Amino acid sequence: MGIAIADLSVGQEIGSTTVDVTRQDLVKYAGASGDFNPIHWNPDFAQHVGLPGVIAHGMFTMGAAVQLVTDWIGDPAAVVDYQTRFTKPVIVEDTTAAGIPGAVIEVAGKIGVVDLDNSTVRVDLTVTSAGQKVLVKAQAVVRVW
C-alpha cells in the first residue's frame, strides 16, 4: 500500500527526523565520495582556513536531509528532482571518546505543492543544526501515483 496523491495537501507534514553525525561518519563519507578535503577531518586545517572547526560535507548534509523524503515515499527513485542552497556549515565536534554525536542535523518536511497533472508533490524541507538553518530552499519533487 503506497501513498495516494489524492490524500495529500499543501501544508501536510510528512514527518521529521534527527541525524546524529560523528567524525567517523565524515571519514566514511570521504572514502565513499572521494572528497578528502581536510576541512572535513582536520580541525587545525579547518581553523587555518577560517572555519570554526571540522565541517560536514555539503553533500553529506544534503543526502541526510533527503533521507526523510525517501523513507516517507518508500522508493528513492520516486525523487525526480532535489535542490537546495547551503547557508551554514554543520560543525562536527570531536566526541569520539564521549561516545556521543559531534553534531545533530534536524529535518522536517511538509508538502509545498501538489501537482495532479504531473502526479508529483514538492516536499519542502527545514534543515537545521545547532539551532541554525544549514540548508534553505531544500525542495524535493516526488512522483506519487
Side-chain angles (χ1 to χ4, degrees):
M1 178 166 191
I3 296 170
I5 196 166
D7 295 335
L8 301 176
S9 60
V10 172
Q12 182 178 348
E13 295 181 6
I14 68 159
S16 62
T17 191
T18 59
V19 180
D20 294 341
V21 185
T22 65
R23 294 258 181 103
Q24 183 179 15
D25 294 328
L26 301 184
V27 171
K28 290 177 183 179
Y29 185 83
S33 69
D35 181 352
F36 294 102
N37 188 321
I39 64 173
H40 303 303
W41 57 269
N42 183 321
D44 292 334
F45 183 86
Q47 289 176 342
H48 178 73
V49 298
L51 294 168
V54 168
I55 63 169
H57 303 74
M59 292 298 119
F60 176 94
T61 304
M62 196 174 171
V66 79
Q67 186 68 47
L68 175 69
V69 177
T70 60
D71 288 348
W72 168 73
I73 197 64
D75 178 9
V79 178
V80 297
D81 186 53
Y82 178 43
Q83 299 180 31
T84 191
R85 291 188 182 168
F86 301 96
T87 57
K88 301 271 184 194
V90 174
I91 301 162
V92 183
E93 301 295 332
D94 184 4
T95 57
T96 306
I100 58 174
V104 176
I105 300 170
E106 298 172 342
V107 185
K110 66 179 180 179
I111 305 297
V113 173
V114 177
D115 183 345
L116 295 173
D117 293 336
N118 291 305
S119 299
T120 61
V121 296
R122 190 190 75 215
V123 177
D124 298 336
L125 298 172
T126 301
V127 186
T128 61
S129 183
Q132 297 187 49
K133 286 187 178 183
V134 294
L135 302 178
V136 295
K137 290 193 167 192
Q139 300 174 331
V141 177
V142 181
R143 177 119 15 246
V144 182
W145 301 104

